[in-house]
């Protein structure tokens, strides 16, 4: 999640990471894990609504779900 906070920190892509998210191959490379491991990890984050995904060609791009994270942070501040 911290890595996705600044998508410009990743290598350039055809579509700007700020718009479509970071390509899974860049996340995989930075994490030093297999494609399937990175994909499974991102799927967990997506099911938890912490990230959203966009498929472009064969690649899936992920970005933080800023709206949900804001609501979650507000709920934590006010209710916990």
């Amino acid at each position: 999640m911290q890595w996705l906070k600044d998508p410009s920190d990743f290598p350039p892509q055809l579509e700007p990471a700020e718009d479509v998210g970071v390509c899974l191959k860049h996340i995989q490379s930075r994490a030093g894990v297999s494609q399937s491991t990175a994909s499974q990890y991102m799927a967990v984050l997506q099911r938890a609504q912490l990230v959203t995904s966009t498929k472009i060609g064969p690649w899936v791009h992920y970005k933080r779900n800023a709206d949900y994270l804001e609501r979650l942070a507000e709920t934590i501040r006010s209710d916990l």
Side-chain angles (χ1 to χ4, degrees), residues 36-78:
S36 63
T37 298
S39 184
Q40 288 173 8
Y41 176 72
M42 296 310 294
V44 168
L45 293 178
Q46 188 171 13
R47 281 193 302 276
Q49 300 180 30
L50 299 174
V51 299
T52 59
S53 66
T54 303
K55 187 165 172 66
I56 300 175
W59 298 105
V60 180
H61 296 69
Y62 292 94
K63 64 193 241 180
R64 293 163 57 102
N65 186 347
D67 292 337
Y68 182 78
L69 289 169
E70 244 178 73
R71 290 192 315 270
L72 180 61
E74 183 56 37
T75 299
I76 290 170
R77 278 192 294 272
S78 66

Side-chain angles (χ1 to χ4, degrees), residues 8-25:
S8 65
D9 229 13
F10 284 87
Q13 331 178 130
L14 292 177
E15 299 289 332
E18 292 79 8
D19 297 338
V20 299
V22 177
C23 183
L24 180 66
K25 68 180 179 178

